[in-house]
Amino acid sequence: MDKLLLLKTFSVVANEGSFTKAAEKLDTSNQLVSKYVAELEKQLDTRLFNRTTRKIHLTEAGQQCLQHANHILESVTDMESQLGLLNTEVKGVLHVSAPVSFSTLHLAGALSTFQQAHPSVSINLQLNDRKIDVIDEGFDVAIRAGHLANSTLVAKKITTIKLALCAAPAYLKKYGTPKHPSELKPEHYLEYSYVNYDSDKSALIVH
């Protein structure tokens, strides 16, 4: 039987000084209250109350038990309150990794809005374009462009980024205007290594 329930019933009986009043306060039957107290006495192998036809009195063991019971019940109530606050109030440090250029252009406003909504959360923002190990490096959130490779991580799309292949007029004049990215020589272009490009760069925009 649930020991917390037994201790709570015993505590209410002791504080009310009556099985009947305790039953009313607990919204249960007098018989059930008596059963719970008897079960607690059985488990502790001691008498907690001296009973007469009109009154009940705590025994010496009962007084000691009441002190322990009240302490245990208060601790449980305090634990429930603290855990309840954790569920309603977000607090702590949020570790975020994000690309430099994207963060410079777009992230400041979003972080400001987040901190206004969650003032107890501090943000540790690290700007870096390299591929990171979110778990090993201790990040809670990583913002990156591209598709998530096979992983146990969860990816959420927040926006769309358009990529373009660009060429200088002098290059086009010297080598001609290609019709497809496959016509470009690898040694003639710079590729941003931190972005997962589609394998068939099918679109070409030349400026």
Side-chain angles (χ1 to χ4, degrees):
M1 190 175 292
D2 185 353
K3 287 188 177 180
L4 283 178
L5 178 59
L6 300 183
L7 289 175
K8 181 180 180 181
T9 303
F10 162 71
S11 177
V12 174
V13 172
N15 292 326
E16 294 294 325
S18 166
F19 282 81
T20 302
K21 290 181 180 180
E24 292 175 355
K25 188 166 186 178
L26 294 170
D27 192 25
T28 187
S29 67
N30 195 0
Q31 292 80 5
L32 196 56
V33 169
S34 298
K35 177 182 177 182
Y36 288 166
V37 171
E39 178 63 27
L40 182 61
E41 289 180 327
K42 179 181 178 182
Q43 291 187 13
L44 297 177
D45 193 24
T46 187
R47 178 180 290 276
L48 300 174
F49 292 105
N50 288 321
R51 301 166 176 83
T52 65
T53 55
R54 294 185 178 181
K55 294 183 180 181
I56 60 172
H57 300 279
L58 284 169
T59 63
E60 183 177 350
Q63 292 175 355
Q64 294 181 13
C65 181
L66 181 61
Q67 293 179 3
H68 290 294
N70 288 338
H71 178 70
I72 292 170
L73 294 171
E74 288 172 3
S75 297
V76 171
T77 300
D78 183 61
M79 177 188 69
E80 291 174 342
S81 299
Q82 292 298 323
L83 293 178
L85 287 175
L86 288 177
N87 290 332
T88 57
E89 181 182 0
V90 181
K91 61 178 63 177
V93 180
L94 181 66
H95 300 275
V96 181
S97 174
V100 177
S101 56
F102 178 85
S103 302
T104 303
L105 294 173
H106 305 293
L107 207 55
L111 291 179
S112 176
T113 300
F114 178 86
Q115 288 201 297
Q116 289 178 17
H118 306 285
S120 296
V121 177
S122 58
I123 298 175
N124 175 20
L125 175 63
Q126 294 190 25
L127 302 184
N128 198 315
D129 290 339
R130 68 178 176 82
K131 295 179 181 178
I132 64 166
D133 188 313
V134 176
I135 303 301
D136 286 348
E137 297 186 44
F139 287 102
D140 301 303
V141 179
I143 300 175
R144 289 294 181 269
H147 299 286
L148 182 66
N150 292 335
S151 172
T152 57
L153 301 176
V154 177
K156 298 288 185 180
K157 180 180 178 180
I158 57 176
T159 189
T160 298
I161 296 178
K162 295 182 179 180
L163 301 177
L165 293 175
C166 305
Y171 175 88
L172 299 178
K173 183 177 181 179
K174 182 175 182 180
Y175 296 101
T177 302
K179 302 299 182 182
H180 191 274
S182 61
E183 299 177 24
L184 292 171
K185 297 180 180 180
E187 61 271 21
H188 283 185
Y189 61 80
L190 297 175
E191 184 176 65
Y192 189 54
S193 60
Y194 291 127
V195 174
N196 294 325
Y197 296 94
D198 293 335
S199 58
D200 63 340
K201 302 183 182 66
S202 56
L204 179 64
I205 301 176
V206 179
H207 296 293

